[in-house]
Amino acid sequence: MKQPAAPEAVKDISVSLLGGFSLETDGVVLADDINRSLKLWSALAYLILHRDRAVPQAELIGLFWPNDHSANPVNALKTLLYRIRTMLEPLFGKEIQPILALRGAYIWNPAVVCTLDTDRFEALCRLGGDTCRTTEERMDSYREAVELYKGDLLPKLSHQLWLVPLAVRYHTAYLAAVKDFAGLLYDKSCYEEMYCVCAKASGLDHLDEGLHTLIVRALLRQGKDSAALAHYEQATDLLYRNLGVRPSEELRALYREIMAAEKNLETDLGAIMGDLREAAARTGAFVCEYGFFKEAYRLEARRALRSGTCVHLCLITVTLPDGGMPPLKLLSQTMDQLLEVLVKNLRRGDVVSRFSGAQYVVMLPAANFENSNMVMDRVVRAFYQQHRHNFLKLTVRVRELELIRTDVSEGGASPPTECRSRRDAADGNGMEREGATL
């Protein structure tokens, strides 16, 4: 193959790869929002990202026609590169060839100097992480880096296997930069900017618990307790649904801090009662985060110890018929359906919380063992009546609340005798019931 003459003119071109693909030179922009094939854009990106070497024909054919058994894939590659050159003509004209053909290979024209946003991004991350620089200098570098990261690498080409390692590399570097930057902002009490930076990053990776922790902390330090609590609840629900995990101790510590945050003094008792009345107007069982559930548990244990009433705990577990863990998408849908059934079929004084990705824990105050099992029977029947095609198994365990008397002289009735030990066999719905005095 005859090698084209090297162009005399030198061309500078800016290439954006983060959040989208675009090339710009002399005020002319070519972006991947025009109607071109993804294979064309993928081949162009590959040559630019590997512009420091000649890429053999066999390598390109293996990447873009891996399962093509046609007689002449070389001609298909030539046609693709011709289309790329034609697409690039508005940027370079006909006098400059951005892609040169060598013997059995292709290379990006070394005379066309490319400035990539990915290179600038990595350089800024290195500067931000350099602890020998001042905090202000590091913050300026990180600020520019996170602003430059407009999205993951070439999102329209994310299905290309060759691109996955590079995309993961830049995504990981971005998250590390955001978290380090957030730490610097926190130390400087720049809580609003810290929130904005982490919220943007969370939009790109909504399952990163570290980002949610930083967001809650930033809101809390701004005095936005309600917003911090709302984000905590949203984040924990998101992690339950998609990963089946409970929040980390660090995130739960922030929840406890929110609950313990001091509020302004309120002298109008009517305003306080109005706020409480609005919450109390909700029908059905009380649904709460597990941290609050534990406090409610302690309160009911104290009340039951004094009054002599029964309180029972129920653990509802969702599994496959063979006891295995269901797929996350199906599990998430089933847990939503089950929560709706629980709220509708339990009393307003009953308390429900998500214990794990596949479990709810329920507290039934003023209910003996027989009544508690009847309640759980009703819940399971209602679930299968409303969701007849759901083949997942519900396993329910019922156990009396643990009552520990620490002061025998304290007034109040003795622990109830009707809350006696008992164990029943599993029923036809796959609901297993167990009761025991702890």
Side-chain angles (χ1 to χ4, degrees):
M1 179 181 297
K2 183 178 179 181
Q3 179 178 346
E8 297 180 0
V10 175
K11 197 78 168 177
D12 293 322
I13 184 167
S14 297
V15 182
S16 297
L17 303 173
L18 298 172
F21 193 4
S22 66
L23 301 91
E24 180 179 3
T25 183
D26 300 329
V28 181
V29 179
L30 181 67
D32 62 358
D33 54 1
I34 64 175
N35 188 19
R36 301 283 183 176
S37 73
L38 293 180
K39 184 177 290 187
L40 183 149
W41 286 107
S42 184
L44 175 59
Y46 192 85
L47 288 170
I48 290 176
L49 286 167
H50 297 82
R51 62 194 181 280
D52 57 341
R53 66 181 179 90
V55 182
Q57 287 182 347
E59 182 176 334
L60 293 171
I61 291 172
L63 283 171
F64 302 113
W65 291 275
N67 301 314
D68 193 337
H69 304 290
S70 59
N72 203 337
V74 173
N75 278 346
L77 177 60
K78 289 180 180 178
T79 301
L80 180 66
L81 292 170
Y82 172 79
R83 292 172 60 199
I84 292 176
R85 293 189 182 101
T86 301
M87 182 180 70
L88 295 177
E89 277 189 7
L91 295 175
F92 299 99
K94 295 186 178 180
E95 66 278 6
I96 297 178
Q97 290 293 331
I99 300 174
L100 304 179
L102 304 178
R103 182 173 299 176
Y106 294 92
I107 188 173
W108 183 263
N109 191 340
V112 179
V113 179
C114 293
T115 302
L116 272 60
D117 59 347
T118 50
D119 293 341
R120 177 62 178 165
F121 170 74
E122 287 190 305
L124 289 168
C125 288
R126 286 193 294 270
L127 290 172
D130 186 355
T131 55
C132 295
R133 305 172 75 224
T134 66
T135 299
E136 288 71 19
E137 289 173 337
R138 294 178 63 196
M139 289 172 62
D140 287 341
S141 296
Y142 275 141
R143 188 174 289 112
E144 185 178 349
V146 298
E147 180 65 26
L148 187 61
Y149 198 94
K150 295 179 172 58
D152 287 335
L153 183 71
L154 298 171
K156 291 186 178 180
L157 303 176
S158 59
H159 63 288
Q160 297 285 328
L161 292 179
W162 69 267
L163 194 63
V164 172
L166 283 174
V168 171
R169 168 182 149 190
Y170 291 117
H171 183 87
T172 302
Y174 170 67
L175 293 183
V178 165
K179 293 173 183 178
D180 200 14
F181 184 30
L184 297 176
L185 291 170
Y186 184 85
D187 293 340
K188 290 292 185 178
S189 300
C190 300
Y191 304 127
E192 184 174 358
E193 184 178 5
M194 174 183 171
Y195 168 78
C196 293
V197 168
C198 295
K200 174 191 172 185
S202 184
L204 295 175
D205 193 336
H206 62 285
L207 296 180
D208 189 298
E209 185 177 359
L211 292 175
H212 290 300
T213 301
L214 292 169
I215 290 172
V216 173
R217 180 174 287 119
L219 290 170
L220 192 57
R221 295 298 175 266
Q222 294 179 73
K224 300 179 179 179
D225 299 345
S226 298
L229 179 59
H231 190 89
Y232 172 85
E233 292 174 344
Q234 176 187 359
T236 52
D237 182 65
L238 194 64
L239 295 171
Y240 273 140
R241 290 171 181 269
N242 293 275
L243 301 178
V245 298
R246 296 174 59 188
S248 66
E249 180 56 34
E250 184 179 8
L251 190 54
R252 288 180 55 79
L254 286 175
Y255 172 79
R256 292 191 292 270
E257 188 175 343
I258 295 171
M259 293 293 98
E262 293 184 357
K263 299 181 181 293
N264 294 329
L265 292 177
E266 177 59 71
T267 58
D268 185 355
L269 186 58
I272 296 175
M273 292 179 65
D275 183 54
L276 296 174
R277 188 181 302 115
E278 179 183 1
R282 300 171 185 169
T283 60
F286 180 74
V287 181
C288 64
E289 192 271 341
Y290 186 66
F292 183 85
F293 184 92
K294 292 199 296 185
E295 300 304 318
Y297 173 97
R298 295 188 180 101
L299 179 61
E300 286 297 334
R302 288 169 174 248
R303 182 179 291 118
L305 189 61
R306 288 184 58 86
S307 65
T309 58
C310 291
V311 180
H312 279 80
L313 289 181
C314 309
L315 182 66
I316 309 177
T317 304
V318 178
T319 64
L320 293 170
D322 62 1
M325 179 64 71
L328 284 176
K329 183 176 180 180
L330 177 58
L331 177 61
S332 177
Q333 180 184 10
T334 302
M335 293 298 282
D336 287 344
Q337 295 169 348
L338 179 55
L339 181 60
E340 182 180 355
V341 172
L342 284 167
V343 171
K344 290 182 178 180
N345 287 272
L346 296 178
R347 303 166 301 177
R348 294 176 64 179
D350 299 333
V351 186
V352 180
S353 179
R354 189 105 171 229
F355 181 71
S356 72
Q359 293 176 305
Y360 284 112
V361 61
V362 180
M363 183 162 54
L364 305 176
N368 60 28
F369 182 77
E370 289 76 11
N371 290 339
S372 298
N373 277 284
M374 289 173 59
V375 170
M376 289 297 104
D377 280 337
R378 184 172 69 241
V379 167
V380 172
R381 285 197 303 270
F383 177 82
Y384 285 117
Q385 287 172 0
Q386 295 179 32
H387 308 286
R388 298 180 183 277
H389 299 293
N390 194 313
F391 63 90
L392 297 183
K393 175 184 176 182
L394 301 184
T395 301
V396 179
R397 295 182 181 275
V398 179
R399 181 167 292 188
E400 183 191 344
L401 190 86
E402 180 178 6
L403 303 178
I404 302 176
R405 181 175 293 278
T406 58
D407 183 3
V408 294
S409 64
E410 183 179 1
S414 301
T417 57
E418 62 177 343
C419 298
R420 58 190 181 277
S421 301
R422 182 166 175 173
R423 183 182 304 270
D424 293 336
D427 66 14
N429 282 327
M431 185 178 89
E432 183 179 327
R433 298 175 297 183
E434 176 185 345
T437 301
L438 300 181

